[in-house]
Structure formats: C-alpha cells, structure tokens
Amino acid sequence: MNLVGSEKLQKMTASIFQEIADRKMEAIKNGKDVIDLSVGSPDFAPPSFVVDALVESAKDTSKYGYTLKGIGEFNEAVGYFYKQRYHVDLDPANEVLQLMGSQDGLAHLATAIINPGDYVLVPDPGYPIYEASVNIAGGIIYPMPLLAENKFLPNLHDIPKDVLQKTKMMIISYPGNPVTALADKVFFEKVVEFARTHNILVVHDFAYSELIFDEHPQISFMSIVGAKEVGIEFNSLSKSFNMAGCRIGYVVGNPQAIQLLATFKSNIDYGVFYPIQKAAVKALTSDFAYLREQVKEYELRRDALISGLEKSGWKVKKSPATMFVWAKIPSGWTSRQFAFELIDRAGVAVIPGDAFGALGEGYVRIAMVQPPERLTEAAERIEQFLAEVVEK
Ligand SMILES: Cc1ncc(COP(=O)(O)O)c(C=O)c1O
C-alpha cells in the first residue's frame, strides 16, 4: 500500500522537532553527552501532596469509568484559583471547561468556531498548534508579526480592513512560547476594544501564568474589563504544577465560546481520568507556596544561563517569564545551521526559531529544563563552540 498523508497533515510541522530529536540521538549514539534544552517538558516533580491525592484516589476502583466532563469540584477549584491568583471572578458552571491539557482545547477550538475560508490572526512566531488548528479547520492564517522593536506585541493597526471583515478569531499569548514577552494592561485593553469593534473572538493562551519572574504582575486577560464578552483564556497544570503528563488543563471566559468547544469535545473524547482531576483540585486549592518556590528555581536557572552566555560573548535578553530563553543568534547563521552545529559540535540541543514561524528565523529557543549547573555547563560549551567557529 502507498499511503500519503492528507494535505492538511502535510501543512503541519512536526519535522523540525523530529529532526532535532534524531540528531540528538545520533550524537548520543556516537558517545556524546548531550545537554537537552530542546523540549519544553518540565523536569521538576509535581508537589508531593498532589501525588498523594492522585495515588489515594487511584485506589478507588469505582473511579475507572469515563468521566465525560470535568467534575464540579474541578470547576470550583479553577474558580478559586483564578480569584486567588488573578483577582478574576468566574462562574464555575458556565465559564470553566476542563480540557485534556490546554493543547486539547487549542487544537479543537478553531474547528468548533470557524468555517473554511474564515481568517484567524495568529502570532508569528507562535506556538505551533495555533497555526495547525486553523489548518485543521480549513481557515486562513493571517500572521501577526511579533517584533523585538514592538516589544513583541502585534501592531493591530497594521491588519488590513478586508482581512478584519473576514476574521473570526485571534490568538495571543503573554507570556508565550517561544516569545517570552509580557503584555501590559494597556495592550490587553486595546485588544478588548479591537475585538469588540471587529467582532473577533480573542483567545489568550496563559499556559505560563505561573512562571513570571522578577515580581512582574501576573495579568490574566480575564481581569480586563469587557474581556469575558470577547474572549477566552487557556490555562494548564502542566507547567504550573509540573503535571504535563497528566494531561489536564482548562479554558475560562466567554460562556458561549466555552459551550461551543464543550459541544465539540463531547463528540470526540470521554474526559480526564478521575484521580487526575482530584489531584488537580488539590493543586489548584493549595496554598501556592509551591508556585513561589518554583519561580525562584526558574529564576536561578535563567540567571545561570544568561550570565553564562554573556561570558561567551553571546548577548541574550533575559526572559521575564516562562521556561524558555528566546535567543537572537549571532549573525552569519541560519537558525537551523546554528542549532544543528550546536548539537553536533557542542552537544547542546535547542530548537531553531523558524520552527515557530517565518519570523523565528534568526533565533533559537532554549528550554530551561535542566538544573543551573547543567545550564552553566551548556553555556561553557557554547562559549567554546563560538570561539572555534570564529577562529575557523
Ligand atoms: C504556549 C503553550 N500553550 C499550550 C501548551 C500545551 O500545554 P498542555 O497541553 O500541556 O496544557 C504548551 C506546551 O508546551 C505551550 O508551550
């Protein structure tokens, strides 16, 4: 049989992530010690009280059936968390929907909302599922450039009128992946106004809401006046509580949009394993000391990496948030060349920026998923690598 993937599949971009993984494996096979800073899967353990809740609940054999949708307790816990952390009031029954990770919702939302031919405004660079979800739905992507000179905020005035007339949805993420920038309240207020004027659903991805450094404020899009009328916000326990493999997240905000996604999901999945929901409730209703400690750990990692890179002569901007550094590479390289050579010669794996969109060219994304000592070592290897290539 000769089976070729669909046109939609061919538009997806698994290839570069796979290529980095293959190169990494090849280097390891050749006896190289590779410091893997490519994939954004947290290496920290979830809080022990969350693990205990999961284990305890897993002993109850009556809880192994389909759960269909989130238990009420979970929605209440999200409401509590949003109130405590971001001063946002939510109606747990209508303004919260549980997801199998925020990816589940991000992947399916476009299909639930748009028709083929509708436009969706998507950040470039941006997290790959944004674009993929629009392709799955048959929509048209209108990239919003995120440029350093604009503090990585899109310029909403640059979007042509005829595009806006056909636009149904826009996706933003602050702090985001791979661009780690934060947005201020004024920007979010402009987005609400813009969405109202043009009747556009705003989708804010807030997956890194709990990895914000240096006492910067954690601004939920939902805390902006009028946001619930025009928008929804995705969030997750993957990065906040290191539960990435548990596959549990949620979306909050506009009840109509949430209902549409819920209807879509009711056709394709049967819910999250009950003990995972119980563990998530425990996490969301804890005292948050864990979150404060974790931010400190990531700050240490970031500082170790940035100061190490500085020593190497590679000046990289300090991330204000997230588990990533979005690093402009030295001139004379493409992102891919740089990332490939870095694995082959220095044994450090990062992701080339063009994996996240055309404007990611000239950057690499470095994931801080190793302890500070290992990040310092990575920076030392990079220093040696840069010295060698300059001498060449
Ligand atoms: C920006 C962003 N959004 C969403 C996700 C999906 O996370 P999850 O499905 O684990 O909640 C990720 C994962 O890396 C991410 O980086």
Side-chain angles (χ1 to χ4, degrees):
M1 187 170 65
N2 182 17
L3 202 54
V4 178
S6 68
E7 285 166 14
K8 282 180 180 171
L9 183 71
Q10 285 173 30
K11 279 192 186 169
M12 294 181 182
T13 55
S15 48
I16 182 62
F17 291 92
Q18 192 54 52
E19 191 163 348
I20 291 289
D22 292 346
R23 283 198 175 234
K24 187 184 78 189
M25 289 320 291
E26 188 62 29
I28 292 169
K29 227 169 59 194
N30 294 334
K32 225 181 176 84
D33 168 45
V34 176
I35 304 179
D36 188 359
L37 311 179
S38 60
V39 182
S41 187
D43 60 315
F44 288 116
S48 56
F49 57 84
V50 169
V51 178
D52 290 346
L54 176 61
V55 170
E56 202 44 49
S57 181
K59 289 181 191 157
D60 182 349
T61 54
S62 73
K63 300 296 186 196
Y64 279 69
Y66 297 127
T67 56
L68 300 180
K69 59 184 204 140
I71 54 175
E73 221 184 313
F74 176 86
N75 289 29
E76 297 280 344
V78 171
Y80 174 81
F81 188 77
Y82 256 65
K83 182 75 183 165
Q84 298 298 315
R85 302 297 290 170
Y86 320 123
H87 315 293
V88 170
D89 287 304
L90 294 171
D91 166 9
N94 299 304
E95 294 177 351
V96 179
L97 175 68
Q98 187 180 94
L99 302 168
M100 302 174 111
S102 56
Q103 187 88 352
D104 166 23
L106 287 164
H108 295 128
L109 180 72
T111 309
I113 302 275
I114 68 165
N115 288 311
D118 287 338
Y119 275 73
V120 179
L121 311 179
V122 176
D124 175 12
Y127 181 57
I129 193 62
Y130 305 156
E131 203 176 300
S133 69
V134 180
N135 285 330
I136 293 168
I140 302 173
I141 291 155
Y142 185 86
M144 296 185 290
L146 304 189
L147 304 172
E149 59 261 37
N150 295 340
K151 298 188 178 154
F152 296 105
L153 301 173
N155 198 342
L156 302 175
H157 298 296
D158 285 351
I159 304 164
K161 268 210 179 86
D162 60 322
V163 169
L164 289 175
Q165 275 162 5
K166 292 178 268 177
T167 298
K168 212 159 172 194
M169 209 166 100
M170 75 183 285
I171 306 175
I172 51 174
S173 180
Y174 293 97
N177 168 17
V179 174
T180 63
L182 294 166
D184 58 14
K185 222 171 141 217
V186 173
F187 171 75
F188 281 146
E189 283 166 354
K190 279 187 199 153
V191 170
V192 169
E193 192 51 40
F194 170 81
R196 253 203 212 126
T197 308
H198 300 288
N199 195 29
I200 292 172
L201 175 71
V202 180
V203 177
H204 183 232
D205 181 357
F206 205 28
Y208 295 95
S209 59
E210 294 300 331
L211 303 187
I212 295 178
F213 310 140
D214 309 320
E215 312 279 331
H216 287 295
Q218 297 168 277
I219 308 177
S220 161
F221 181 63
M222 288 301 129
S223 68
I224 305 301
V225 175
K228 259 190 219 171
E229 284 144 47
V230 295
I232 53 176
E233 181 163 270
F234 286 93
N235 211 326
S236 173
L237 285 94
S238 294
K239 319 286 162 145
S240 307
F241 295 98
N242 297 307
M243 295 170 71
C246 291
R247 310 310 302 133
I248 187 156
Y250 52 92
V251 57
V252 301
N254 184 273
Q256 229 185 330
I258 285 191
Q259 187 50 50
L260 295 172
L261 182 58
T263 303
F264 185 85
K265 269 175 58 65
S266 70
N267 284 272
I268 58 170
D269 72 62
Y270 293 131
V272 175
F273 185 39
Y274 180 87
I276 289 175
Q277 297 195 47
K278 291 294 277 188
V281 168
K282 199 81 189 169
L284 293 167
T285 55
S286 61
D287 68 2
F288 312 129
Y290 174 87
L291 296 175
R292 288 189 286 275
E293 283 308 306
Q294 172 162 265
V295 163
K296 283 190 207 146
E297 295 290 330
Y298 273 112
E299 280 174 349
L300 287 176
R301 288 178 175 202
R302 179 205 54 183
D303 293 346
L305 181 63
I306 297 290
S307 65
L309 292 177
E310 204 149 80
K311 268 193 227 145
S312 79
W314 184 13
K315 284 224 170 330
V316 170
K317 212 168 167 299
K318 223 173 178 183
S319 305
T322 80
M323 60 200 297
F324 304 109
V325 168
W326 183 234
K328 195 168 176 38
I329 57 174
S331 57
W333 299 85
T334 68
S335 297
R336 284 183 194 221
Q337 276 170 346
F338 189 80
F340 293 161
E341 290 276 317
L342 211 55
I343 297 185
D344 295 348
R345 298 173 58 159
V348 177
V350 300
I351 298 290
D354 64 314
F356 304 97
L359 292 178
E361 182 53 59
Y363 286 82
V364 291
R365 189 197 73 178
I366 309 173
M368 300 185 283
V369 289
Q370 305 263 351
E373 314 78 73
R374 201 69 174 144
L375 292 168
T376 301
E377 190 185 338
E380 284 163 3
R381 291 188 193 185
I382 291 171
E383 181 173 2
Q384 201 177 343
F385 164 77
L386 290 174
E388 278 169 20
V389 291
V390 168
E391 265 167 31
K392 228 175 40 164

